Every structure is written in structure tokens, then in C-alpha cells.
Amino acid sequence: MPPVSAHPGLSGRRDGSPDGSRDRFAVLDDGRTTGAIGDAGPEGVETAPEQADTPASPSQDEARLGAAVRAAMLGETLQLGRYSAFTQATVALSLAAIFWDIAAKTYLAVLAAAVTTLCGAAIVATPRYRGVIGGGASCPSTRGAFRVLHLLAFGRGLAWATMPAVLLPTLDNAYRVVVGAVCAALISHAYVAGPVFSLALLAVVPVVAGIFIGLAGCEGPVGHSVALLLTLYATFVFVSARRLCGHAYQRIRNRVVVQAQSETIELLLKDFAEGTSDWLWEIDTVGRLRPSLEPIAGLLGVDPVALRHRTLQAVLRDFADEAGGATGIDAVLTAIAARSPFRDHTVRLRTRDGRRWLTLNGRPVFDALGTFVGYRGVGSDVTASREAQARIAFPFDKVKVDRSFVRDLQGRPEKVAVVEAIARMARALSMNVTVEGVETQAQLDVLRAKRCDVAQGFLYSPARPASEVMALIDRIEATSSPVPDQARMRTALAIV
């Protein structure tokens, strides 16, 4: 890929069409940007619909994308142009040597000097403009580079156009074959002009015109037949080169869009990794951990260097916490060995900071040919949630409502709402609700309505010695008014 500067924030946004088949801008051959909406031409130039009077102004993202595409087109054109210029200079010097004793020496010297000078200028300009691209291409510098390339291509085309026009009428048929072969090669140069079709036109059209001029000075039947064949060949070359330039433009544009999206995804993943306890992990075909190793090294309390060239299987087994029973590691290793995806597999490890629980998700990765290349996944540190679950897992079957919620129960609807919520939660968890501080019959009635299970308080009795408990129970049961079974509340007595 040519050295193209990074352009964060670029987007490959389309013109709202469901299939994304239309772009909202195009890059012209001279590096300019148009906002016309239409179908892309084969040379990478979009053609505006006839009814579009004024092209739409490109947004900032589109302008950045256009600049990046132009820079990439320039870089690829310079890379191909260097080899083409060297080849043409060599051909010009070879022709001068072949025809030195046959054609006019002055013309051959001028032709060789002109072609080699123009080719040398193209070769010298290549590193200069490639350096400009590497430093961050701006619109003026890119457009200036395109202008220079067009001038050099047109100059070489004019220089080569004189060769068939001067040599064909003055040579015999044997040497005309050599001139024809060189002209055919120059016409095929349109294929190596890069993604900018206008460069191919400027370099090749003058040569075709020069060939017709030279054939006009040849014998009638031969010149006419060769001219017809030349027309067919040149037409084929131009049409096919135009399509190739269009494909090259679309390829470059897609590459720039993917590069920008990759940079954006990388930034998002970096922010994701820094702002969450989740982390990304990756292993190769033999299970070796790949960068980055910092997240998992930090969780294990080791230096990332210690994890280099180590397999995930070995790391999990070395840090397995065997003291607490099953660690969950075998399920992860079995899935990896079978090359099957797995989800929410929790493993228990023993680290320098104590016991840790990690939840691993992973899936196998295959290349375009279906070859297994490793595993990728996400790991989560769920130690905090596991410890919280352990704290609330203590076996109890009762919930006790403090006396502060019962005091002034009739005049405080928010307290009634709290008691009702506690009772509902307890029923959902199959627990009993004990309410303390019940001192009046009115409070007891509210608690019954809210389906509380046990009441205790001075309504029944203050604390009593154990020897008086049975007599107190008999007295309460004898004086209690009968209530339906589903509304009856048990009485709790404090025994001292």
C-alpha cells in the first residue's frame, strides 16, 4: 500500500440508498472533488444526473475521505510511474542506437534526449511527492502533483508521437516492424498509467495520432490495412484501460474507508478496554497468548513479559484454584480443543491478590480459506459480583421490620408502603416477615392487611421470664378475637 497518512474519523457514508450503491462525491482525474450524486464512471469519476443543476456540498467527513482517496491515488500512480518512466527511457536510448545509421542522427538524438529528460523528471518527482503524501497530503499539494504528472505524461506523449510520424515513411518494411512494435507497446502503456485514466489519455492519444500521420505517408494498401488494425487495437486498449482505472479507483476508495474504520474501531476498543473490567484476549493455533497481555497480566498479578509465548491452557492450569472444588477450567479447555465457540464460562483462579473469578467468551477464527488461525474472545473479571453473591447466600428464612417503621404507622403512608414492599419481597423469597414494636390494635390491623407473618411488641406483653411464658400464651389465646386463618398473625414473645 502506498504511504498514505492516517485520517481518523473518516467515514464511508453513502447517499442514503439502501444498498449503498451511490457515493455522495467522486474524485476527478486532476484530484478535485465533486459532490454530485450519480453512478460512478469506469475511470472512478461519478457522473451527475442530468436533472441535478447544482452539486451538493460535501460534508467535512466526505471532504476528508476525498483527500485521503486522492492521496492514495497519487501514491499508487507515482509507484507505477517510476517503473514506466525507467522503461521508456531505456527504449528511447535503444531506438537511437538501432536506427543511428539509418535515420537522421539529429532527430534520434533529440528524441532520446527529450524522452529521457521527461522520464528523469518523473523519476525525480516521485520521491518528492511521496514524501508530501507521507507527511499528510493537503488539497493544494495533491492537485499540484497531479498537474505535474499530467504535464510530464503529455510531454512524453508528444515526444513519442514524432517517432512514427518521422520514421515510418522513411524506413523499409523490416524496420517498420520495429517501429510498429514500439508503438504497440506505447499504446499498451495505458494499462500501467495507474488509477487515473486521464494520464493514460495524455500519454497514449498523441502516439496514436503520430502513428496515423506516419501511416499516411506509407504505401496505400499497407498503410490503410495497418491503420484499420491500429484503430481496433487502440479502441480495445482505451475501453479496457478505462474499466481497469475505474476498478482501481473503487479499490483504493474501499481501502481508505476500511483503514479509517479500522482506526475508529481501534480507538473504540481502546476506550472500551480502559473504561470497563472486560478485556480482549486472543490465542494462535497452538494456544499461545497474543498481545496485548497487560489486562490478563494485571488480573493475575504478574509481569506481562512472563506470559509471552505461554499458552492460555498453561496459564489457566497454573493459576487454577483447586481448593474450592471444580474450577470451570476444563470446560473452557474442552471447547478450545474442539474448536467450538463458548460463552459465559466462569473459571476460578488463585492469584497474588487472592481468589478471582473470570468469565470467558470465545470463538474460533478462520481465514478466507477456512483454515483455523486461533481464538478470539472477551474476558470479564466477575470477582466482585461473586463475592457479593457469597455474602447474600447466608441461609436465613426471616426478614425483620424495625420498630421505627411501625411507629406512627397510621399517619405515615410512606411507612405503610415500605412495610408492604418488604412483605412482598419476603413472600417472593419464601421468607417470613417479623414486625417488632407493635403497640396498638390499629397497628396490628394494618400489618395483617399487608400479610405480615409475625408481630411482637407491647400490645401483647413486655419481656417476661421463661416461667411465665405458658400462662401468658394461654391468656393471649383466650382473649384474641377469632380471625380467618389466612389473616392470623403469630405472636412472638421475648423470653428472659
XYZ file of all heavy atoms in Angstrom, residues 4-7 10 25-27 31-34 58-75 133 136-143 146 249 252-253 256:
322
model
N 0.195 6.385 2.838
C -0.900 7.342 2.965
C -1.029 7.714 4.416
O -1.029 6.856 5.294
C -2.222 6.741 2.449
C -3.315 7.775 2.542
C -2.056 6.287 1.013
N -1.151 8.992 4.710
C -1.259 9.424 6.098
C -2.593 9.020 6.670
O -3.591 8.895 5.967
C -1.118 10.954 6.172
O -2.105 11.564 5.381
N -2.611 8.819 7.966
C -3.835 8.387 8.650
C -4.811 9.525 8.701
O -4.452 10.685 8.878
C -3.494 7.906 10.059
N -6.065 9.208 8.572
C -7.132 10.207 8.639
C -8.197 9.722 9.593
O -9.193 9.143 9.177
C -7.744 10.454 7.256
C -6.770 11.014 6.274
N -6.574 12.360 6.084
C -5.883 10.391 5.456
C -5.646 12.562 5.154
N -5.214 11.371 4.770
N -12.631 9.325 9.424
C -13.231 9.237 8.110
C -14.389 8.289 8.140
O -14.420 7.355 8.923
C -12.196 8.755 7.086
C -10.931 9.619 6.933
C -10.067 9.037 5.829
C -11.264 11.053 6.626
N -19.830 11.750 -3.410
C -18.805 12.544 -4.036
C -17.934 11.646 -4.882
O -17.973 10.443 -4.789
C -17.941 13.273 -2.991
C -16.964 12.377 -2.323
C -15.647 12.345 -2.739
C -17.369 11.526 -1.306
C -14.745 11.494 -2.138
C -16.476 10.685 -0.719
C -15.159 10.671 -1.127
N -17.125 12.238 -5.701
C -16.196 11.466 -6.512
C -14.910 12.240 -6.658
O -14.875 13.454 -6.498
C -16.804 11.183 -7.893
N -13.833 11.539 -6.967
C -12.533 12.153 -7.187
C -12.274 12.208 -8.678
O -12.272 11.183 -9.352
C -11.425 11.360 -6.463
C -10.081 12.012 -6.716
C -11.715 11.297 -4.979
N -7.643 15.337 -9.349
C -7.579 15.410 -7.897
C -8.647 16.265 -7.280
O -8.657 16.477 -6.083
N -9.583 16.813 -8.071
C -10.639 17.626 -7.494
C -11.780 16.748 -7.008
O -11.923 15.616 -7.435
C -11.166 18.630 -8.536
C -10.150 19.705 -8.888
C -10.662 20.676 -9.945
N -10.765 20.035 -11.246
C -11.909 19.816 -11.866
N -13.052 20.144 -11.295
N -11.934 19.263 -13.053
N -12.626 17.345 -6.156
C -13.746 16.607 -5.573
C -15.045 17.220 -6.030
O -15.195 18.444 -6.050
C -13.685 16.658 -4.044
O -12.447 16.121 -3.633
C -14.816 15.858 -3.435
N -15.975 16.376 -6.418
C -17.298 16.851 -6.777
C -18.324 16.232 -5.868
O -18.166 15.107 -5.422
C -17.636 16.501 -8.240
O -18.977 16.901 -8.518
C -17.550 14.996 -8.493
N -20.133 18.708 -0.208
C -19.714 17.566 0.599
C -19.537 17.974 2.040
O -19.126 19.082 2.353
C -18.383 17.155 -0.039
C -17.872 18.399 -0.680
C -19.091 19.152 -1.132
N -19.829 17.093 2.932
C -19.648 17.353 4.351
C -18.172 17.270 4.695
O -17.327 16.944 3.869
C -20.438 16.337 5.176
O -19.891 15.049 4.987
N -17.879 17.572 5.945
C -16.483 17.536 6.367
C -15.911 16.133 6.286
O -14.773 15.942 5.852
C -16.377 18.071 7.801
C -14.944 18.199 8.292
C -14.871 18.807 9.670
O -15.892 19.057 10.293
N -13.661 19.045 10.148
N -16.701 15.139 6.675
C -16.221 13.761 6.581
C -15.971 13.357 5.139
O -14.981 12.681 4.835
C -17.237 12.809 7.215
C -17.234 12.897 8.727
O -16.262 13.458 9.270
O -18.194 12.415 9.351
N -16.841 13.771 4.253
C -16.663 13.428 2.852
C -15.439 14.116 2.272
O -14.721 13.541 1.438
C -17.920 13.802 2.064
C -19.134 12.954 2.435
C -20.423 13.528 1.891
O -20.424 14.708 1.490
O -21.427 12.802 1.881
N -15.191 15.369 2.702
C -14.010 16.076 2.220
C -12.735 15.379 2.682
O -11.768 15.254 1.929
C -14.037 17.520 2.705
N -12.730 14.910 3.925
C -11.565 14.186 4.420
C -11.372 12.875 3.666
O -10.232 12.505 3.324
C -11.723 13.901 5.913
C -11.641 15.133 6.793
C -11.846 14.747 8.247
N -11.780 15.914 9.108
C -11.982 15.876 10.422
N -12.266 14.716 11.002
N -11.896 16.968 11.139
N -12.455 12.193 3.422
C -12.353 10.952 2.669
C -11.861 11.206 1.257
O -11.031 10.469 0.719
C -13.707 10.247 2.658
C -13.770 8.912 1.914
C -12.779 7.929 2.497
C -15.177 8.343 1.956
N -12.356 12.271 0.627
C -11.896 12.612 -0.713
C -10.417 12.922 -0.744
O -9.693 12.493 -1.652
N -9.925 13.665 0.265
C -8.500 13.978 0.312
C -7.663 12.715 0.492
O -6.601 12.560 -0.130
C -8.227 14.963 1.453
N -8.140 11.804 1.332
C -7.399 10.555 1.546
C -7.383 9.705 0.282
O -6.356 9.092 -0.057
C -8.019 9.773 2.703
N -8.497 9.652 -0.448
C -8.549 8.873 -1.693
C -7.622 9.476 -2.737
O -6.892 8.767 -3.430
C -9.998 8.792 -2.211
C -10.044 8.167 -3.593
C -10.866 7.992 -1.248
N -7.633 10.806 -2.848
C -6.735 11.447 -3.812
C -5.276 11.169 -3.484
O -4.452 10.919 -4.373
C -6.999 12.954 -3.844
C -8.332 13.337 -4.450
C -8.385 14.824 -4.727
N -8.258 15.613 -3.508
C -9.268 15.959 -2.735
N -10.491 15.549 -3.044
N -9.080 16.693 -1.668
N -4.934 11.231 -2.189
C -3.553 10.955 -1.795
C -3.166 9.518 -2.128
O -2.056 9.247 -2.588
C -3.384 11.225 -0.300
N -4.089 8.583 -1.887
C -3.795 7.179 -2.197
C -3.665 6.963 -3.701
O -2.796 6.208 -4.161
C -4.888 6.285 -1.616
N -4.529 7.621 -4.488
C -4.414 7.518 -5.949
C -3.080 8.070 -6.425
O -2.405 7.486 -7.285
C -5.569 8.273 -6.617
C -6.936 7.640 -6.435
S -8.257 8.677 -7.099
C -7.846 8.678 -8.833
N -2.670 9.194 -5.862
C -1.393 9.788 -6.241
C -0.237 8.863 -5.877
O 0.702 8.676 -6.661
C -1.232 11.144 -5.550
C 0.088 11.878 -5.792
C 0.284 12.150 -7.279
C 0.130 13.178 -4.989
N -0.294 8.289 -4.688
C 0.778 7.392 -4.277
C 0.908 6.187 -5.174
O 2.022 5.789 -5.557
N 3.028 13.121 0.554
C 1.897 12.289 0.970
C 2.139 11.725 2.347
O 1.261 11.711 3.216
C 1.684 11.145 -0.046
C 1.305 11.729 -1.405
C 0.593 10.208 0.426
C 1.244 10.704 -2.496
N 1.247 13.950 5.207
C -0.126 14.417 5.325
C -0.497 15.263 4.136
O -0.181 16.451 4.040
N -1.156 14.680 3.158
C -1.424 15.370 1.906
C -2.512 16.407 2.093
O -3.552 16.134 2.660
C -1.833 14.366 0.829
N -2.247 17.615 1.584
C -3.267 18.646 1.559
C -3.786 18.748 0.141
O -3.159 18.298 -0.812
C -2.676 19.997 2.014
O -1.623 20.391 1.149
N -4.948 19.398 -0.011
C -5.545 19.514 -1.343
C -4.637 20.256 -2.315
O -4.449 19.808 -3.446
C -6.911 20.187 -1.230
S -8.173 19.138 -0.485
N -4.027 21.429 -1.947
C -3.167 22.118 -2.914
C -1.966 21.279 -3.340
O -1.620 21.236 -4.527
C -2.733 23.380 -2.147
C -3.799 23.600 -1.133
C -4.239 22.229 -0.731
N -1.303 20.604 -2.408
C -0.134 19.811 -2.769
C -0.522 18.637 -3.647
O 0.196 18.288 -4.599
C 0.578 19.323 -1.505
O -0.275 18.493 -0.740
N -1.649 17.995 -3.366
C -2.082 16.867 -4.178
C -2.454 17.313 -5.590
O -2.075 16.680 -6.579
C -3.279 16.167 -3.524
O -2.930 15.803 -2.188
C -3.676 14.924 -4.284
N -3.171 18.413 -5.685
C -3.543 18.916 -7.012
C -2.321 19.358 -7.795
O -2.237 19.158 -9.019
C -4.532 20.060 -6.856
C -5.888 19.620 -6.324
C -6.792 20.809 -6.064
N -8.069 20.378 -5.488
C -9.006 21.205 -5.057
N -8.821 22.516 -5.143
N -10.132 20.740 -4.553
N -0.755 16.287 -9.229
C -1.489 15.786 -10.390
C -1.202 16.630 -11.632
O -1.058 16.095 -12.746
C -2.988 15.778 -10.101
C -3.477 14.528 -9.436
C -3.865 14.527 -8.106
C -3.541 13.338 -10.134
C -4.310 13.376 -7.497
C -3.986 12.180 -9.538
C -4.367 12.204 -8.205
N -9.816 2.736 -8.905
C -10.327 3.816 -8.050
C -11.214 3.268 -6.940
O -11.084 3.643 -5.765
C -11.114 4.818 -8.901
C -11.997 5.722 -8.069
C -11.462 6.787 -7.369
C -13.368 5.489 -7.965
C -12.259 7.608 -6.588
C -14.168 6.295 -7.187
C -13.606 7.360 -6.510
O -14.404 8.156 -5.741
N -9.128 1.528 -4.298
C -8.419 2.481 -3.431
C -9.383 3.134 -2.463
O -9.083 3.290 -1.263
C -7.707 3.533 -4.292
C -6.563 2.879 -5.071
C -7.190 4.679 -3.443
C -5.894 3.810 -6.052
N -10.550 3.495 -2.943
C -11.525 4.140 -2.059
C -11.963 3.197 -0.943
O -12.051 3.590 0.227
C -12.741 4.595 -2.862
C -13.735 5.396 -2.034
C -14.976 5.737 -2.852
N -15.836 6.599 -2.069
C -16.632 6.195 -1.094
N -16.663 4.913 -0.767
N -17.381 7.059 -0.420
N -9.238 2.920 1.671
C -9.157 4.088 2.556
C -10.285 4.058 3.581
O -10.085 4.353 4.766
C -9.190 5.380 1.726
C -9.303 6.602 2.627
C -7.947 5.484 0.860
